[in-house]
Amino acid sequence: MERHLPQGLNPANFAQVPFIVFNRKDDMQAQWVSKAFGVREPRLKERFVPSSEAGARAAAMGWGVAVLPELLAEGLIASGAVRPVRPDITLDVALYWHQWRLSADEPSAAPRPVGASA
């Protein structure tokens, strides 16, 4: 951070800073920049790293800025490997469980509600 962003990440320099993204559908970084700097549709320099864990390691190695899940970021922040850029700006992400059958013969592994027995 001190070498590449001595003044920190700000509205004047975010467009020149590489952002680590999962794939072309990943818009969390743009959402974060929008929220942090009030920019409607930010254009970012993107570096694609199609793994959350590898993206966190890439940020620690200085490849760019990453928007990381808290669980991945906590240990890296505690160790000093990464620094929070704007800890006051966070994104809530709705997560969905997906399931699919690989063949019609497989029984469904759908979760079943359970309750206490009487």
Side-chain angles (χ1 to χ4, degrees):
M1 285 276 299
E2 290 84 15
R3 184 176 62 191
H4 297 292
L5 294 170
Q7 274 75 42
L9 192 65
N10 60 56
N13 67 9
F14 76 83
Q16 289 79 39
V17 175
F19 279 80
I20 298 166
V21 298
F22 187 85
N23 63 22
R24 295 190 194 297
K25 292 181 180 181
D26 180 5
D27 69 345
M28 281 195 309
Q29 295 70 22
Q31 286 180 38
W32 185 87
V33 167
S34 226
K35 188 173 179 181
F37 304 123
V39 178
R40 270 212 155 119
E41 292 182 26
R43 291 181 181 240
L44 305 176
K45 263 176 80 173
E46 299 175 329
R47 291 192 172 157
F48 297 104
V49 181
S51 159
S52 297
E53 292 82 4
R57 287 193 307 273
M61 293 187 308
W63 286 21
V65 174
V67 175
L68 300 174
E70 282 182 78
L71 288 174
L72 279 176
E74 287 172 340
L76 293 168
I77 292 168
S79 72
V82 299
R83 287 186 27 202
V85 176
R86 292 274 313 264
D88 57 317
I89 305 296
T90 61
L91 293 176
D92 290 328
V93 177
L95 300 177
Y96 300 91
W97 290 101
H98 295 275
Q99 100 176 38
W100 53 89
R101 284 194 217 174
L102 298 177
S103 75
D105 297 336
E106 287 185 27
S108 174
R112 297 179 188 179
V114 295
S117 59

